[in-house]
Structures are given as C-alpha cells and as structure tokens.
C-alpha cells in the first residue's frame, strides 16, 4: 500500500472548499440573471400559480361507475319471426357494470340437436369429392364437429364432409344491414361518483336538481348540457370517430373516459368531469345459446352469434404536482445555471486563465519547527521587535 504522502501527492487526501470570486464580466452576469429570472417565473408563475403546484393531492380517490341502458327494438327474420328486443335481450352482461356489450346484429341457428349433418362449405377442408377426403375422427380449429368419414351432399352445388355435432350447423351469412339499427337512438345513463376521502369530499357527474323528469329528457352535450349524464348511442359512436351503421354491422369497441379535474380551493364548485371518446376496435362478436329439453328427451338449443358494440367506461383523476417537488426542481435549476456560467468563465471566456487562477487557489498552513527563532512571525510589530536581545 502507498504511504499517505503518496496519496497526498495525487491530491486524493486534499479537501476542497468553495471560494466566492466577484467577477466584473457583464456578459456572463446578464446571462445568469436572465436564466435565473426564467426559472423564477416558471416555478412561481407557471408551476405554482397556473398549475396550482402548491395544492395537496389525494393519491387514492374512490371512483364508482354505474350504467343503465334504455331502448326497445323490433326484428323480423325467418328463423325467429317478429320479435321485440328490450334491455334484457340486447345488453350483455347484466346492467350496472362499467363494461357492457350492446347487441346491434345477430345470426341465429334455431333448434339445434346433437347428431350427424354436413359441414358448412366455408369451413377449411370441409369440401370433398369422395369419402377418402374426410378422415374419420379429424377435427379442425374452425370446424363445427368431428368428421365421420363420409362425404355427403350439402346442397345442389357443394359436397362436404359429414360431422357429428350440433345440427344443423351455423350459417356464415351475415345480414347486409344491422338488424337492430334502432339501437343508435338508445340512451346510456352513466353515473360516476368520485370520493376524495382525504379531504372528506364527494362529487357526482349528475346534475343536482329537484326536477325528477330532468334525466328523462336531457341529453349530454359538451356545450349546452355538460352536466347531463345521459348519452345517445349514435352520438357516442360519432364522437369516437366511427359511423354507427358500419360499426353495428360487424361490431366494435368504444372507450368512454371520465376524467375528474378537481380544484377544491373553490369549495368544490370547480370539480367537474370531462368526457372523451375513442374508437378502440372494429369487429366484435361472441356466441351464446339457449338450451332446453324436447318432449322426446332430446336436448336442443338455439344458437345466437351476436355482433355489437362493447363500451368500456374508464374513470380517472387529475394529478397535481406537489409543492416540495416544484420548489426542489426550481432550486436544482438555479444550481445548474451557476454551474453553466462557471463553465463559460473558466473555459470559454477570453480571460479564462485569469478567472481559473483566481477561483482555484492553493492554501497551505505555515510549518512549525523546533527552532524558536523560526517560529517568530516574519514581520513582528516594531515595539515587540525592539525587545528581542
């Protein structure tokens, strides 16, 4: 290991302390003051006053969402005849959730029973010319059942492999127009409540009114009726950038975001929700079936392939910058300004060598020796020097 003297020679044991030097360089001085003024204006004017960075924040507000859809529609198709649809039919799952599915179109396969029947020609590897084209026991990802090994007639133009499954198989023909096109006039009620337990404050997006009929006739409008929580479905899809008839044919997904921006300095009067809508996905469907037992003891079902619009209601809060972080950021920027100006003086300015030697000065304490005469000050006062023999 090296001796302390060797370490001192490298400067590893030196202690450095600050030394303040007043420089008469007006260019660097003006630049420093302008930068400091900019930081002060940003911290005080923008971060603290405009953005209210002095406010305390509730990091865990409680948010609840309740939805209710209303409307009726009538369809007339060969498989079901004339049928009335209400909220129990076209809303999946049950109402009250912040995610729900609105049925706008469907494909029905009624009275299916388990048995043997020809596969649909649209299924891959379903078409055949001979029994050898249909290996027994084979199944596929998109098939409706298990192949029996027989090639049978599907219709006058197609021969397909026979399967064992739910028969007759589902058709792949989608209606050219949405069967529940009236759904664009349905109404969606969204009740969203935010609670800031830290400040003992709660607010709902519904207008506080004594008029019991208000929510029956009001419709949300960002300008004329921003506090009405009742939305027309067609308007929601349009606000998300979609066309209802196109989206209702094959389905899709729409996101509804409720953002709370609350300034409790005003006693809650400036706490209101802001809505935004986004088209998240095109094409959305799923299948559901209703089962029953025939009088003969055979299980039967009606299969529905439902197309529709999935609505996701998301609620959030607005984050506020804490005061300590704001002031700490401003102090850090002031330190950066001083460091930047030092770099200009020490490395860029034409008199940088002079500033360097002035700012960095090596200070050493006088050495103490055993000779008393050498310990006297070099310049003793005259009245003391005269007393020395």
């Amino acid at each position: 290991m090296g001796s302390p003297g060797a370490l001192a020679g490298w400067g590893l044991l030196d202690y450095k302390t600050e030394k303040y030097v007043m420089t008469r360089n007006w260019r660097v001085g003006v630049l420093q003051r302008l930068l400091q003024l900019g930081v002060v204006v940003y911290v005080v004017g923008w971060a603290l006053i405009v953005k209210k960075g002095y406010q305390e924040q509730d990091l865990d507000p409680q948010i609840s969402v309740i939805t209710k859809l209303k409307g009726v529609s009538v369809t007339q198709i060969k498989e079901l005849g004339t049928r009335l649809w209400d909220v129990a039919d076209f809303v999946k799952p049950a109402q009250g959730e912040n995610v729900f599915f609105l049925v706008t179109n469907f494909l029905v396969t009624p009275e299916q029973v388990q048995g043997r029947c020809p596969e649909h020609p649209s299924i891959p590897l379903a078409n055949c010319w001979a029994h050898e084209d249909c290996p027994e026991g084979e199944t596929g990802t998109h098939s409706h059942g298990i192949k029996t090994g027989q090639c049978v007639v599907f219709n006058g133009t197609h021969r397909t492999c026979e399967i064992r499954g739910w028969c007759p198989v589902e058709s792949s023909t989608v209606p050219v127009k949405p069967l529940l096109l009236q759904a664009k006039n349905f109404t969606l009620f969204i009740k969203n409540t935010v609670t800031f337990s830290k400040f003992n404050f709660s607010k709902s997006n519904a207008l506080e009114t004594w008029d019991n009929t208000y929510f029956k006739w009001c419709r949300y409008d960002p300008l004329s009726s921003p506090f009405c929580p009742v939305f027309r479905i067609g308007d929601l899809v349009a606000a998300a950038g979609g066309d209802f008839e196109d989206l209702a044919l094959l389905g899709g997904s729409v996101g509804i975001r409720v953002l709370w921006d609350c300034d409790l300095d005003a006693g809650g009067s400036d706490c209101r929700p802001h809505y935004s809508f986004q088209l998240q996905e095109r094409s959305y469907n799923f299948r559901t079936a209703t089962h029953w037992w025939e009088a003969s003891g055979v299980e039967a079902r009606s299969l529905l392939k439902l197309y529709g619009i999935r609505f996701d209601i998301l609620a959030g809060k607005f984050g506020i910058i804490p005061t300590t972080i704001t002031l700490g950021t401003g102090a850090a920027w002031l330190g950066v300004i001083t460091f930047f100006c030092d770099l200009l003086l020490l490395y860029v300015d034409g008199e940088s060598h002079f500033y360097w030697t002035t700012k960095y000065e090596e200070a050493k304490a006088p050495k103490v020796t055993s000779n008393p005469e050498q310990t006297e000050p070099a310049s003793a006062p005259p009245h003391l020097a005269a007393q020395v023999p």
Side-chain angles (χ1 to χ4, degrees):
M1 296 179 60
S3 63
L7 295 176
W10 286 94
L12 298 178
L13 300 181
D14 293 345
Y15 170 73
K16 297 179 178 61
T17 185
E18 293 183 357
K19 177 182 180 180
Y20 295 94
V21 178
M22 181 69 70
T23 61
R24 303 295 181 181
N25 190 315
W26 68 270
R27 292 184 297 272
V28 178
V30 170
L31 177 62
Q32 182 190 31
R33 298 309 178 199
L34 288 177
L35 294 176
Q36 289 176 340
L37 179 62
V39 170
V40 172
V41 170
Y42 168 77
V43 173
V44 178
W46 176 256
L48 289 180
I49 298 179
V50 177
K51 290 297 184 180
K52 300 184 182 296
Y54 59 87
Q55 291 180 329
E56 193 176 2
Q57 181 184 6
D58 190 346
L59 298 177
D60 190 25
Q62 300 174 1
I63 299 175
S64 65
V65 177
I66 298 176
T67 61
K68 182 180 292 186
L69 195 72
K70 288 187 176 182
V72 293
S73 181
V74 178
T75 60
Q76 293 181 349
I77 58 175
K78 180 179 65 175
E79 292 84 358
L80 297 178
T82 301
R83 178 174 176 179
L84 176 71
W85 295 69
D86 60 13
V87 292
D89 300 312
F90 55 66
V91 177
K92 309 290 182 182
Q95 298 192 68
E97 304 293 333
N98 59 345
V99 177
F100 66 92
F101 178 82
L102 170 62
V103 179
T104 57
N105 203 5
F106 61 91
L107 182 63
V108 60
T109 308
E111 300 180 355
Q112 285 185 315
V113 295
Q114 293 196 24
R116 298 160 67 109
C117 55
E119 180 63 280
H120 197 275
S122 64
I123 301 301
L125 303 178
N127 293 272
C128 62
W129 293 101
H131 298 321
E132 290 77 12
D133 299 330
C134 305
E136 184 177 0
E138 184 182 70
T139 184
T141 304
H142 302 283
S143 63
H144 294 102
I146 302 174
K147 293 180 180 179
T148 63
Q150 300 295 315
C151 181
V152 296
V153 176
F154 179 81
N155 55 25
T157 58
H158 289 88
R159 292 174 60 88
T160 60
C161 295
E162 185 184 57
I163 63 166
R164 182 181 294 108
W166 287 97
C167 299
V169 296
E170 179 186 68
S171 173
S172 60
T173 304
V174 181
V176 294
K177 285 189 177 182
L179 296 176
L180 295 171
L181 189 59
Q182 299 95 328
K184 67 180 179 182
N185 295 318
F186 292 174
T187 59
L188 173 63
F189 174 78
I190 303 176
K191 186 177 181 181
N192 180 214
T193 303
V194 59
T195 301
F196 297 96
S197 56
K198 186 175 183 179
F199 307 114
N200 194 24
F201 178 82
S202 180
K203 188 70 178 274
S204 172
N205 66 327
L207 179 67
E208 298 179 2
T209 177
W210 295 99
D211 186 1
N212 296 329
T213 63
Y214 173 74
F215 297 111
K216 294 182 179 180
W217 58 263
C218 81
R219 297 294 180 269
Y220 170 79
D221 185 270
L223 299 178
S224 61
S225 186
F227 295 102
C228 177
V230 182
F231 301 81
R232 180 177 173 270
I233 296 298
D235 297 337
L236 285 180
V237 175
D243 180 81
F244 180 82
E245 186 168 348
D246 293 341
L247 202 64
L249 183 62
L250 297 178
S253 178
V254 173
I256 304 173
R257 183 169 182 83
V258 186
L259 182 64
W260 288 90
D261 184 359
C262 294
D263 181 8
L264 302 186
D265 288 349
S269 60
D270 194 20
C271 184
R272 63 186 64 183
H274 299 273
Y275 301 94
S276 60
F277 312 95
Q278 182 180 8
L279 182 60
Q280 298 177 332
E281 184 180 354
R282 296 182 182 273
S283 183
Y284 191 90
N285 65 79
F286 66 92
R287 291 173 175 84
T288 183
T290 303
H291 293 254
W292 70 89
W293 291 92
E294 298 282 0
S296 59
V298 177
E299 183 183 9
R301 75 176 187 180
S302 286
L303 179 65
L304 282 173
K305 183 177 182 181
L306 302 178
Y307 299 86
I309 304 175
R310 172 191 167 108
F311 290 93
D312 300 289
I313 296 95
L314 307 173
K317 59 182 178 58
F318 181 77
I320 304 176
I321 306 174
T323 307
T324 54
I325 295 179
T326 305
L327 296 179
T329 302
W333 276 110
L334 292 177
V336 171
I337 291 174
T338 302
F339 177 74
F340 176 72
C341 292
D342 283 349
L343 291 180
L344 293 179
L345 283 175
L346 300 176
Y347 296 99
V348 179
D349 194 88
E351 300 178 357
S352 59
H353 178 71
F354 168 73
Y355 293 125
W356 182 282
T357 55
T358 306
K359 181 177 178 63
Y360 297 100
E361 178 181 352
E362 183 179 0
K364 293 183 179 179
K367 295 182 179 180
V368 179
T369 61
S370 59
N371 189 350
E373 295 182 357
Q374 294 183 1
T375 60
E376 284 190 10
S379 57
H383 64 281
L384 294 177
Q387 298 177 6
V388 178

